[in-house]
Amino acid sequence: GENVEQHPSTLSVQEGDSAVIKCTYSDSASNYFPWYKQELGKRPQLIIDIRSNVGEKKDQRIAVTLNKTAKHFSLHITETQPEDSAVYFCAAFSGNTGKLIFGQGTTLQVKP
Amino acid sequence: EAQVTQNPRYLITVTGKKLTVTCSQNMNHEYMSWYRQDPGLGLRQIYYSMNVEVTDKGDVPEGYKVSRKEKRNFPLILESPSPNQTSLYFCATQGGFYNEQFFGPGTRLTVL
């Protein structure tokens, strides 16, 4: 079945450094790729998303890149801050099936 | 205020005792989903519904039932809960295929 692989599972960086999280999906029909941030004890919230007809999208310190040929997309966070510490989930949505498949999550720790 | 509500928020029950977790949204969204979240496995879709009276299986539907008799409500039913259904459950709603999913606050279920 369809799946999304996310790496790394944990990531620790110093404040001010960059963080990169990578995901690979299997369903060729996937055409929408959101990223969610989940703080401890809270619900996931969307931070950025990208559609399949776009290769890159940026929102302040956050950017997402998509390589449809390789079925690969990544989240880039620059100038990390302690409040960026959370679990981040990538996901792939198939317009054919209506399914949204999430990656396993990456726990990001930003050290002051 | 736009919101997704779930009840109960916490539930401890015993094996085999039928239970229902309710989900309600006031955003007039057609798409609703149920997920379970387990450590190391991310968010896994249980069932989803693209409209009233339309429901489809996600990745882990075994042991669960849903119904969508009206747009705003999407209850999750466990006919005969088992300990392996101990998990954190999230309901989510989405305004369209390529739009943000809004998650409810979560229901932590323990089956003894």
Side-chain angles (χ1 to χ4, degrees):
Chain A
E2 308 95 337
N3 75 303
V4 175
E5 293 291 331
Q6 182 172 347
H7 298 281
S9 57
T10 60
L11 181 57
S12 181
V13 301
Q14 287 295 136
E15 182 177 1
D17 287 351
S18 294
V20 180
I21 302 170
K22 299 182 179 182
C23 290
T24 303
Y25 61 98
S26 63
D27 184 3
S28 300
S30 296
N31 50 13
Y32 172 63
F33 306 91
W35 286 86
Y36 286 84
K37 175 183 180 182
Q38 186 179 27
E39 297 177 348
L40 191 62
K42 296 190 176 181
R43 70 193 81 183
Q45 289 191 298
L46 182 77
I47 54 171
I48 195 167
D49 56 9
I50 190 168
R51 296 195 186 186
S52 59
N53 58 348
V54 176
E56 185 174 355
K57 184 177 178 180
K58 190 173 181 179
D59 183 3
Q60 299 182 359
R61 298 185 295 109
I62 295 174
V64 58
T65 59
L66 171 65
N67 182 330
K68 282 217 73 176
T69 303
K71 297 182 188 174
H72 177 268
F73 59 115
S74 300
L75 178 72
H76 304 252
I77 305 174
T78 58
E79 300 172 17
T80 54
Q81 302 166 3
E83 51 266 37
D84 293 329
S85 296
V87 179
Y88 291 81
F89 293 99
C90 63
F93 182 84
S94 171
N96 288 353
T97 64
K99 281 188 179 181
L100 183 65
I101 309 294
F102 281 83
Q104 297 86 349
T106 296
T107 301
L108 174 64
Q109 180 187 27
V110 181
K111 300 177 185 176
Chain B
E1 179 190 354
Q3 58 182 351
V4 182
T5 57
Q6 291 179 230
N7 283 292
R9 295 288 314 280
Y10 303 91
L11 179 61
I12 300 174
T13 189
V14 296
T15 298
K17 186 176 181 181
K18 181 179 178 179
L19 66 93
T20 299
V21 184
T22 64
C23 174
S24 183
Q25 52 103 355
N26 64 359
M27 291 180 269
N28 201 35
H29 287 172
E30 292 180 341
Y31 188 103
M32 297 185 75
S33 289
W34 275 104
Y35 297 90
R36 61 178 288 173
Q37 183 174 17
D38 303 288
L41 297 177
L43 291 150
R44 293 181 292 168
Q45 195 173 41
I46 303 170
Y47 270 94
Y48 61 102
S49 169
M50 289 191 267
N51 214 328
V52 176
E53 301 292 359
V54 178
T55 61
D56 285 289
K57 295 178 180 179
D59 280 340
V60 288
E62 295 79 19
Y64 304 94
K65 285 176 57 177
V66 293
S67 69
R68 188 89 183 276
K69 292 183 169 35
E70 48 189 342
K71 184 182 276 191
R72 64 182 290 124
N73 295 323
F74 190 43
L76 179 70
I77 304 156
L78 284 72
E79 296 268 2
S80 183
S82 62
N84 63 12
Q85 292 178 298
T86 292
S87 187
L88 177 60
Y89 291 87
F90 285 102
C91 175
T93 180
Q94 187 172 345
F97 267 7
Y98 308 113
N99 292 339
E100 175 180 0
Q101 284 214 350
F102 293 91
F103 285 82
T107 295
R108 186 163 293 280
L109 172 66
T110 301
V111 183
L112 302 175

